[in-house]
Amino acid sequence: MSNTPTLTSLTTSDLAEILFCCGLQESDHPSSEQVRTAIGDRFGACGGDRTAWVAVVAQEAGDHPETYLQRMRWALTTVSEAYHRDLVTAA
């Protein structure tokens, strides 16, 4: 049994942390598909290792504390919207 998480086992907060590490920006106005693709790509690049993406979040927070809160709020909202639409459509 593997301890490596899968995308479907991650929380909204986990997904937002991964999005935070991606190259997408709020000013890009990414679609839900672009958000999910970027998260999937970054998750794969990290090998599913949570410490890899959390380290990037911590580094960015330390390097740019003035923008951290706004970017994380954007990431949380964007992930919620991107994945919520899938849940509503599937229902």
Side-chain angles (χ1 to χ4, degrees):
M1 188 167 146
S2 174
N3 288 332
T4 303
T6 62
L7 275 175
T8 58
S9 70
L10 298 177
T11 66
T12 299
S13 295
D14 292 332
L15 295 169
E17 288 173 344
I18 296 170
L19 178 60
F20 186 98
C21 301
C22 296
L24 288 179
Q25 299 294 319
E26 183 174 9
S27 60
D28 295 332
H29 305 289
S31 67
S32 293
E33 183 177 330
Q34 290 172 310
V35 168
R36 291 187 302 269
T37 297
I39 289 172
D41 290 349
R42 175 54 97 176
F43 182 77
C46 292
D49 181 4
R50 186 174 195 278
T51 59
W53 75 74
V54 170
V56 173
V57 171
Q59 181 69 47
E60 285 297 313
D63 289 349
H64 306 286
E66 70 283 359
T67 60
Y68 169 79
L69 185 58
Q70 180 179 347
R71 180 156 172 79
M72 187 54 78
R73 282 184 181 152
W74 168 78
L76 283 163
T77 300
T78 301
V79 163
S80 293
E81 291 172 356
Y83 287 88
H84 175 71
R85 288 185 186 133
D86 282 349
L87 295 174
V88 170
T89 305

